[in-house]
Amino acid sequence: MTMKSSITCILTLAALLVAGCNKDFLNNPPIDQVTSDNFYKTDEEVIAGTAALYNIVWFDYNDKAFLSFGEARGGNLNSNDRTAYIQFSVPSTDQNTLLAGYKSFYKIVAQSNLTMYNIENAQGSTVSDAVKKQAYAECRFMRAMAYYYLVSNWGAVPIMYNPLTQLGKVTHRNTIEDVWKFIIRDLRYAADNLPATPAYSQKGRISKYTAEGELAKMYLTRSGYGQTGTRLQKDLDSAKYYAADVCNNSGLRLLDNYADLFRSATNNASSVNDETLFALLWMDIRVPWGVNNSFQAYMAFSTDITQTGDGWGAAQGGSADLVKYYVANPNDSLRRKETLMFEGDYYPDLNKKNGGTRVTNNTIANVKKYIIGSPEDNNKRGDFMTAYINTYMLRLAEVYLIYADAILGNNATTSDAEALKYYNAVRTRAGMPEKAAITFGDIFQEKRVELAFEGNAWYDILRWWYFNKTAASNYVLGQDKANYTVTYNAGSTQPRRWTFASTAQYFGFTDQTVYLPLPEEELGSTPTLSQAPVAFDFSVLP
């Protein structure tokens, strides 16, 4: 296997190396699975080892937590089995989603820490300095991303950084401030040590610009933490600095067609598109379990779409609140049709052999984003619970909007040329008119619609709540989360129009429910997690 090997082969090999690692990843990392004695001795082995960080360790997040944490709490999802997340009443005993998501993030942390340890301690290593540097940067980037989701969902959490020195020690939660400091520290290391092109010259791997895009996002979020009404200017400046470099110098571009973002042909592990900064790279196989993308299995509204025995999403769809936006803004039809299926919509790429799929008798707006159809619709790639499409974690359009937000800063409105250039680039790609001035509300709404069902909605709300609790809380309390019907008005065209009806229902969060509860099982095994968080000693880090 050479440096030019297919990323698909690398990812599959790496997944095999970590398959079966199913331990308590917080207190007992899986240090016996792949060790420095039997692996990580060559460039090729290191490249294979870090590839696992792009899929299998993220599986439990992508499987259910992705939508529950990001979209149900964010007010975009109507779902009959995620009610607790929609209503901010999640029990600590939830194992299928709460515990699985929590463990998934610590699995990423543990695997990142273990990989760095094994590379550093490999006996008889011939690993080049360039590959070692990029591998460490990948590991620290992934560790930072896991902590982003941990701190955003649970607040104060334990910082785990070494699989051996921390083993057996008493575990305490660390303060939110220190978790954010740890995240930014890791991402800055990644930005300083990753190449401007994807690591190891393998498209789909992260780059310097991936780390900078995430740094812009993290600084934008941290700028509001602990503030009242306004955001910390120095963090806004940092967000602006890193976003500007990505927007102006990365060489990436928005795809011309929004729909192409969510087609397998232009978004898979072997064909990563030019808008992708970071994606989970799923295989078209399901052995070992965990390298596969199970999203479509739960969200496609019919087995006729998947034709693999799954497709259980008839009762899953957009929230009443999100549907209201699309009904009120029929010109936003390009994004709407690729996000939610409305009555009367036609999708020629789904069930091609039978002439495509016409949506009929679906009073709920079912999910379209990431729904790609059967293996036959996708060049015979895919299988049961295995849709051959990547999951976006960061794409260029989001960085464009982050840049505009950072430029706006604490101003009520801005007509700054750079902010408008990138904000309007996202809108015009969607067929929406440009604006001559924008507000925080404009940018917030644009993020919601552009990124709906990509797992971001809750984190944008939390970012707002950090510096304006009243406004963010009222926004959520005003989201209609009732069941509803949406029907096509026959004869209406350009744009097509629908009638919406619901008996409005609202649910808000409090200071006590803004964060998820720690899983009961984790509290049982580590009771010190119930104690007050403590400061992290950064002097212990290399």
Side-chain angles (χ1 to χ4, degrees):
M1 190 176 296
T2 69
M3 291 283 283
K4 299 294 185 181
S5 298
S6 163
I7 189 141
T8 300
C9 295
I10 291 287
L11 286 163
T12 304
L13 171 60
L16 289 167
L17 293 171
V18 297
C21 299
N22 188 26
K23 298 184 178 183
D24 182 340
F25 283 90
L26 180 58
N27 292 308
N28 193 16
I31 61 173
D32 60 331
Q33 297 295 320
V34 178
T35 73
S36 56
D37 291 332
N38 58 29
F39 206 67
Y40 299 107
K41 294 181 179 182
T42 67
D43 285 359
E44 290 78 13
E45 289 177 347
V46 168
I47 294 168
T50 58
L53 296 171
Y54 290 82
N55 55 28
I56 195 167
V57 292
W58 290 92
F59 177 82
D60 287 335
Y61 161 72
N62 187 71
D63 188 58
K64 293 185 179 70
F66 163 64
L67 278 178
S68 298
F69 295 178
E71 300 298 323
R73 288 202 297 158
N76 285 346
L77 180 68
N78 179 292
S79 172
N80 62 350
D81 59 359
R82 291 171 171 83
T83 303
Y85 291 87
I86 292 168
Q87 298 181 3
F88 296 96
S89 59
V90 179
S92 62
T93 54
D94 173 21
Q95 293 193 358
N96 288 336
T97 301
L98 181 75
L99 180 62
Y102 182 83
K103 283 192 169 184
S104 178
F105 298 132
Y106 273 111
K107 186 185 295 184
I108 297 159
V109 171
Q111 194 63 36
S112 299
N113 289 337
L114 177 63
T115 301
M116 287 188 286
Y117 174 87
N118 283 336
I119 294 171
E120 183 66 25
N121 292 279
Q123 301 299 311
S125 172
T126 62
V127 179
S128 65
D129 288 342
V131 167
K132 186 179 290 189
K133 181 186 294 185
Q134 291 177 59
Y136 288 159
E138 281 184 302
C139 290
R140 290 184 64 170
F141 173 90
M142 295 295 181
R143 184 171 70 180
M145 294 312 303
Y147 272 110
Y148 166 65
Y149 290 104
L150 283 164
V151 76
S152 298
N153 286 300
W154 284 278
V157 291
I159 294 175
M160 312 302 290
Y161 61 91
N162 188 297
L164 291 186
T165 61
Q166 289 183 282
L167 192 62
K169 291 189 176 181
V170 176
T171 302
H172 294 280
R173 291 183 299 142
N174 296 109
T175 64
I176 292 174
E177 295 91 336
D178 282 351
V179 177
W180 277 112
K181 182 178 178 180
F182 186 79
I183 291 168
I184 288 173
R185 184 180 184 273
D186 267 357
L187 288 176
R188 291 188 65 165
Y189 178 91
D192 289 343
N193 290 281
L194 285 167
T197 54
Y200 324 117
S201 300
Q202 291 184 345
K203 200 164 186 180
R205 296 278 189 156
I206 60 174
S207 71
K208 161 191 172 181
Y209 293 111
T210 308
E212 288 191 342
E214 292 292 3
L215 273 169
K217 189 172 182 175
M218 302 309 154
Y219 274 117
L220 185 68
T221 305
R222 196 180 72 169
S223 71
Y225 183 74
Q227 305 300 303
T228 304
T230 59
R231 295 179 280 185
L232 195 64
Q233 190 60 49
K234 68 177 183 179
D235 278 352
L236 290 171
D237 291 342
S238 293
K240 179 179 174 181
Y241 170 82
Y242 286 112
D245 198 35
V246 175
C247 293
N248 296 317
N249 300 316
S250 68
L252 299 176
R253 65 176 186 89
L254 298 186
L255 297 192
D256 295 333
N257 183 2
Y258 186 80
D260 286 343
L261 287 164
F262 305 99
R263 292 190 173 120
S264 173
T266 45
N267 183 29
N268 66 64
S270 297
S271 182
V272 179
N273 63 57
D274 289 339
E275 191 168 330
T276 301
L277 279 156
F278 172 36
L280 304 182
L281 308 176
W282 304 108
M283 301 296 96
D284 63 342
I285 57 176
R286 50 191 174 93
V287 178
W289 184 258
V291 302
N292 49 308
N293 187 351
S294 59
F295 181 94
Q296 176 175 257
Y298 299 116
M299 290 295 123
F301 74 75
S302 170
T303 56
D304 290 340
I305 290 177
T306 66
Q307 297 179 22
T308 53
D310 51 27
W312 309 306
Q316 314 285 339
S319 68
D321 195 72
L322 184 60
V323 170
K324 279 182 178 179
Y325 166 83
Y326 289 122
V327 170
N329 295 275
N331 288 312
D332 204 346
S333 59
L334 295 177
R335 291 187 292 200
R336 196 281 304 158
K337 190 178 180 183
E338 296 307 319
T339 303
L340 297 177
M341 298 178 176
F342 276 22
E343 174 78 9
D345 283 343
Y346 171 63
Y347 296 96
D349 293 338
L350 301 180
N351 198 4
K352 291 177 186 176
K353 68 179 181 181
N354 292 315
T357 295
R358 175 76 66 181
V359 180
T360 58
N361 301 317
N362 288 34
T363 55
I364 188 175
N366 292 112
V367 176
K368 170 59 176 69
K369 195 168 279 191
Y370 291 121
I371 305 304
I372 60 173
S374 68
E376 192 165 335
D377 292 332
N378 294 281
N379 198 29
K380 302 189 184 303
R381 308 294 292 267
D383 200 345
F384 175 77
M385 297 190 76
T386 304
Y388 191 48
I389 187 169
N390 297 335
T391 300
Y392 293 111
M393 303 297 278
L394 182 70
R395 55 184 176 90
L396 190 61
E398 183 179 5
V399 180
Y400 280 10
L401 297 174
I402 288 169
Y403 189 24
D405 199 351
I407 292 171
L408 172 73
N410 291 313
N411 298 310
T413 185
T414 185
S415 55
D416 179 272
E418 281 283 280
L420 293 177
K421 173 184 175 181
Y422 289 105
Y423 173 86
N424 284 324
V426 176
R427 282 179 63 81
T428 55
R429 195 257 300 268
M432 296 294 282
E434 295 187 358
K435 292 188 176 184
I438 51 177
T439 65
F440 175 85
D442 291 329
I443 299 168
F444 184 90
Q445 180 75 297
E446 201 64 29
K447 287 180 186 175
R448 182 190 190 188
V449 178
E450 174 70 19
L451 304 170
F453 286 90
E454 296 179 49
N456 284 283
W458 170 250
Y459 307 106
D460 280 324
I461 291 169
L462 182 72
R463 186 173 296 117
W464 188 5
W465 183 81
Y466 266 3
F467 70 95
N468 195 332
K469 291 186 177 182
T470 299
S473 299
N474 287 341
Y475 167 78
V476 171
L477 192 58
Q479 291 179 326
D480 185 358
K481 298 180 180 180
N483 293 323
Y484 60 87
T485 58
V486 55
T487 54
Y488 170 53
N489 296 340
S492 65
T493 59
Q494 300 180 346
R496 293 165 66 87
R497 295 184 180 276
W498 289 263
T499 298
F500 171 87
S502 81
T503 301
Q505 197 171 12
Y506 303 97
F507 301 95
F509 64 84
T510 65
D511 287 357
Q512 288 71 45
T513 58
V514 67
Y515 293 119
L516 294 171
L518 285 166
E520 183 176 80
E521 180 178 309
E522 198 67 17
L523 284 170
S525 62
T526 314
T528 50
L529 294 178
S530 63
Q531 298 175 4
V534 300
F536 180 74
D537 180 8
F538 283 89
S539 70
V540 302
L541 299 177

